[in-house]
Amino acid sequence: ETGVTQSPTHLIKTRGQQVTLRCSSQSGHNTVSWYQQALGQGPQFIFQYYREEENGRGNFPPRFSGLQFPNYSSELNVNALELDDSALYLCASSLANRVYGYTFGSGTRLTVV
Amino acid sequence: GENVEQHPSTLSVQEGDSAVIKCTYSDSASNYFPWYKQELGKGPQLIIDIRSNVGEKKDQRIAVTLNKTAKHFSLHITETQPEDSAVYFCAASTQGGSEKLVFGKGTKLTVNP
């Protein structure tokens, strides 16, 4: 059984640029949820993808968008990067849009300069 | 919406002592309360969880208690070991469309040898 893998592990972007982060869900899981974790804080829900559609969204602006593919992997896209977007971005996979048994990846550390 | 408060923010104990972390939540509809351990450079790892129809759950040295009336739940670690040192997060699930987790701000636990 493979776990959740995220790529890249680290990246540095300039304010105003766009970024794409990737997540492969755990084998057998069909739901991917994305969280933003600022330094010293708990993770905050961005959105969830289930059956290739956005299935719930937290308090994040439209410049945060995502995709889910037929193999259940997912992308998080952020446009017009701001300094405050610097954070650890985590994806969690689960079954049938539930939170039970969330499996988190190790995250992507994004730094915006 | 749901709000989760976690205390203390830092906790230092001697090896072999017990550690207790407490959380309160605001939404009485929340029905699932997981605890995560996050080590440096890694994603959160589920260590124990409890559902609202249960008052207590134990797994070896780790136990969680839930008081639905008071809307608080606690993590108890007995016989602490240096490898228990990490940041611990409590969370509560929310309903309404997609399920998501609302996290506390975390407790940095240090176990001194």
Side-chain angles (χ1 to χ4, degrees):
Chain A
E1 181 180 276
T2 56
V4 175
T5 57
Q6 292 187 243
S7 63
T9 55
H10 298 83
L11 75 166
I12 300 173
K13 289 286 189 177
T14 302
R15 191 171 47 182
Q17 285 188 315
Q18 180 265 343
V19 69
T20 297
L21 311 181
R22 295 177 175 83
C23 171
S24 293
S25 61
Q26 178 172 304
S27 176
H29 284 182
N30 59 8
T31 302
V32 173
S33 302
W34 286 91
Y35 286 78
Q36 180 195 66
Q37 186 177 19
L39 204 60
Q41 302 293 315
Q44 273 196 294
F45 178 74
I46 303 175
F47 44 53
Q48 181 188 86
Y49 276 83
Y50 175 59
R51 293 181 175 174
E52 300 179 49
E53 291 188 356
E54 187 180 290
N55 182 45
R57 187 177 187 92
N59 189 26
F60 282 82
R63 59 189 185 83
F64 285 77
S65 63
L67 285 172
Q68 186 179 34
F69 300 99
N71 67 353
Y72 308 128
S73 66
S74 177
E75 287 183 354
L76 164 65
N77 300 290
V78 187
N79 294 321
L81 284 167
E82 301 177 359
L83 297 179
D84 284 350
D85 295 334
S86 296
L88 180 68
Y89 288 85
L90 296 161
C91 84
S93 73
S94 60
L95 267 174
N97 78 333
R98 308 302 297 275
V99 296
Y100 304 140
Y102 255 7
T103 302
F104 279 93
S106 293
T108 294
R109 172 72 62 189
L110 171 65
T111 302
V112 182
V113 297
Chain B
E2 175 66 279
N3 182 51
V4 176
E5 300 281 343
Q6 182 172 348
H7 300 280
S9 56
T10 61
L11 179 59
S12 182
V13 300
Q14 289 300 121
E15 183 176 359
D17 287 350
S18 295
V20 180
I21 303 171
K22 298 182 179 182
C23 289
T24 59
Y25 62 99
S26 60
D27 187 353
S28 56
S30 291
N31 62 6
Y32 174 66
F33 307 92
W35 286 88
Y36 289 87
K37 175 183 181 182
Q38 188 173 29
E39 296 174 314
L40 205 60
K42 296 185 178 180
Q45 178 187 11
L46 179 69
I47 55 172
I48 195 166
D49 56 13
I50 191 167
R51 301 191 187 190
S52 59
N53 58 346
V54 175
E56 184 173 357
K57 183 177 178 181
K58 190 173 181 182
D59 182 4
Q60 299 182 347
R61 297 186 297 110
I62 295 174
V64 57
T65 58
L66 171 65
N67 183 327
K68 282 182 61 179
T69 304
K71 290 195 266 206
H72 67 69
F73 55 114
S74 300
L75 177 71
H76 305 253
I77 306 174
T78 59
E79 301 172 23
T80 54
Q81 301 165 2
E83 49 266 40
D84 293 330
S85 297
V87 179
Y88 291 80
F89 292 95
C90 63
S93 66
T94 65
Q95 309 303 311
S98 65
E99 287 192 347
K100 64 178 183 286
L101 292 179
V102 176
F103 285 82
K105 291 189 175 181
T107 297
K108 183 176 181 181
L109 173 65
T110 302
V111 181
N112 302 300

